[in-house]
Amino acid sequence: MNLRFLARQLTSVVVTTAGHINDDRVFFGMQLARRLPGPASRLVGHALGRLPGDAGRAASAWLLGEETTAKSLVSGSPAPSRLLGEIALNLGLLNEAESIAAAVPGARALSSRIEWTKGHIDEAIAVLPDGARRTRLIDERLCLQPQWWPEVSSHVTARRARNDAEHARGQHPTALHVLTNSLPHTRSGYAYRSHAVLTTLRDAGHRTAALTRPSYPVTIGRLSQGPVEFVDGVEYIRDVPLRPRPTPSERLSEQANRIAVEAHERGAQILHTTTHYVNGLATGAAAAAANVPWVYEVRGVLEETWAAAGSSPAERSARRNSQRFALMRAKEIEVASAADAVITLGETMREHLIAGGVPAETITLIPNSVSEAVVDADVTRTPADMRKSLGLPEDGIWVGAAASIVGYEGLDDLVDAVILARCQGTDLRLLIAGDGVALPELRERAAVLGDNAVFTGRVSQVQAIDYQLALDAIAVPRKDEPVCQLVTPIKPIEAMGLARPVVISDLPALRELVPDSAGLWTPPGSPQKLAELLSELASDDTARARFGDNGRAHVLATRRWKEIGRRYGQVYSQLVGSDVR
């Protein structure tokens, strides 16, 4: 490990922590406890449970994943407190949080967070006294205003002529990617797609590197081995400021300057970033300074993902009508429209961008595809054989998924469907691999299944493949939310690539992924219909095999990174070959 860079990261942690403690020690302490490694978080949870009062017991239950107990303690407590209010807000109990904030003197920071959660930016600012938090929120609102972009220092823009003169444009343009997170510290669909893109470009002869967001991976409680880390030969550059800037606009300007300098030093001919708009603002400003074209890759719909996190239909609807939603949507469209090229994952997402005003001719569709690890997987082994190797029962028909466990994935409907099917005599069993904010509630919901439900928690990509191979069918029962109607996930593609039948919700973004020959679809939000369909599939070995074989053939023919990834090079060559600036 690079000791100097380690010291820099630790100093950044100390400075940031001190700022958070001074800002709001109750909120910071609670969030820190939740983000500790599992054993440490549980230890804190047990310790809090020994304290007198509902606040300590609610915090204990929350940290231990006993969300039903935590909600009961919050709702029934006769002694409101700041801590109870923060727990209520994190549990999605917005009404209870508001009642607590009104009853606790001086709970203005909590009131502000409630308004921010509701999407009321102006109200979240107005309730606060003058100070660091108010200044920060005002500045965050500024960054969302139309036509606001970060500033790049004049000494950086002066390098543009040298950059163009020193680096001739070749057949394979050099690209610098700007990422939110990456391997090895974050193992998510986002990180794996980014790595697949970078690897594919490198193998095609492009010089590539990726610069992760400022202070990453310190921001997720991990330390980098050095200012540059290599994963499978791909270069990930870490940017850890010694003293992070206090406001979003200052941090974005600092990031844009760093991107522009890095682009100059590496002779980058293309800058390439991904959603959301924060990445786009910094990268677009840096591209203008470095005098190079830039690509904005739209992998999600930020404002709809935020709205879908509401805890009830009424709250989700209110979020979509909020100031924050409108500003985020407008900013995303502004950033995408400013880019020289836009890449997105599916036809429904492409149509969404065009409807928002992004020029159709700038958009290229590059769908999610499978890695060679999926292609090379041994799909000849039966699910029962795979379960045996993983220490799971061979008996029964196992259904499930490997996914990020959030509410809109609809895994609660899958749990209910398995319960219903078992009550009706089908030996259906459940396996869910992954982690996420909805996992504690999901575990509680599935408790009635006993040993017939398995939750693995966070797993690596290799483990995720093994667990999916252990399933007789893979379900993607997403909710009927705009984010699920628009965004095409990678999981159905992986499932088909692993020769497993796929059961999806009947939503546009999912139907465009799974051909009729490879899977089945069911109305979203209907556990009874899902149970009926899974029971039919469980009783038909021939259908499961046919769907699996057809799905794998479809993926091998159309969805391998080795072929799909070439489209990135084509986009780059078109930009560098044209006089875009």
Side-chain angles (χ1 to χ4, degrees), residues 55 114 186 345 371 392 439 459 486 565:
I114 292 169
T186 299
L345 313 185
S371 66
L392 297 169
L439 180 57
V459 295
L486 291 169

Side-chain angles (χ1 to χ4, degrees), residues 450-535:
D451 293 339
N452 295 311
V454 174
F455 296 89
T456 69
R458 189 176 301 276
V459 295
S460 68
Q461 186 182 36
V462 172
Q463 292 171 319
I465 289 173
D466 287 344
Y467 280 118
Q468 289 177 94
L469 288 171
L471 293 170
D472 295 282
I474 292 174
V476 188
R478 288 187 150 195
K479 300 285 190 182
D480 190 9
E481 295 286 343
V483 65
C484 302
Q485 296 165 8
L486 291 169
V487 179
T488 54
I490 193 171
K491 290 307 175 187
I493 308 298
E494 285 189 348
M496 289 188 291
L498 295 171
R500 294 298 179 260
V502 187
V503 180
I504 60 172
S505 290
D506 189 2
L507 296 170
L510 293 175
R511 287 293 295 269
E512 76 171 82
L513 296 179
V514 182
D516 295 350
S517 62
L520 300 167
W521 55 92
T522 182
S526 177
Q528 181 61 56
K529 291 290 186 181
L530 181 57
E532 293 171 5
L533 190 150
L534 290 173
S535 295

Side-chain angles (χ1 to χ4, degrees), residues 253-441:
S253 291
E254 187 172 65
Q255 182 184 9
N257 277 271
R258 173 65 192 272
I259 296 168
V261 170
E262 200 72 45
H264 166 77
E265 293 178 350
R266 293 172 175 272
Q269 297 155 279
I270 296 277
L271 294 181
H272 181 153
T273 193
T274 67
T275 39
H276 59 79
Y277 72 90
V278 171
N279 290 337
L281 289 172
T283 305
N291 197 32
V292 296
W294 67 290
V295 178
Y296 190 52
E297 184 168 334
V298 179
R299 298 186 185 177
V301 184
L302 171 67
E303 69 279 5
E304 291 293 0
T305 302
W306 171 72
S311 58
S312 68
E315 185 184 339
R316 291 192 286 274
S317 177
R319 287 188 177 200
R320 290 191 183 94
N321 290 313
S322 71
Q323 177 189 17
R324 184 177 174 187
F325 183 95
L327 287 174
M328 286 195 295
R329 169 160 287 183
K331 203 66 182 178
E332 283 291 338
I333 294 297
E334 179 186 342
V335 168
S337 299
D340 295 297
V342 175
I343 291 170
T344 196
L345 313 185
E347 287 291 349
T348 49
M349 295 177 72
R350 180 177 180 274
E351 293 304 317
H352 170 76
L353 290 168
I354 293 171
V358 180
E361 63 272 16
T362 67
I363 304 173
T364 299
L365 196 158
I366 304 183
N368 277 319
S369 303
V370 296
S371 66
E372 292 305 295
V374 171
V375 174
D376 296 337
D378 184 2
V379 299
T380 62
R381 298 180 66 182
T382 67
D385 185 35
M386 282 301 303
R387 291 196 293 273
K388 182 179 180 180
S389 70
L390 292 168
L392 297 169
E394 298 176 62
D395 296 337
I397 298 296
W398 288 70
V399 299
S404 297
I405 304 177
V406 294
Y408 61 74
E409 291 291 353
L411 296 175
D412 56 335
D413 292 331
L414 178 59
V415 170
D416 291 348
V418 172
I419 294 171
L420 287 169
R422 290 190 65 81
C423 289
Q424 294 162 6
T426 303
D427 188 10
L428 211 60
R429 309 189 189 190
L430 178 70
L431 168 64
I432 294 178
D435 197 5
V437 294
L439 180 57
E441 186 175 357

Side-chain angles (χ1 to χ4, degrees), residues 234-250:
V234 173
E235 186 177 9
Y236 291 102
I237 309 156
R238 309 303 181 196
D239 176 17
V240 181
L242 200 58
R243 297 181 65 88
R245 299 291 184 179
T247 63
S249 65
E250 289 177 304

Side-chain angles (χ1 to χ4, degrees), residues 17 103 192 376 431 444 552:
T17 300
Y192 283 119
D376 296 337
L431 168 64
E444 289 188 311
R552 183 165 171 84

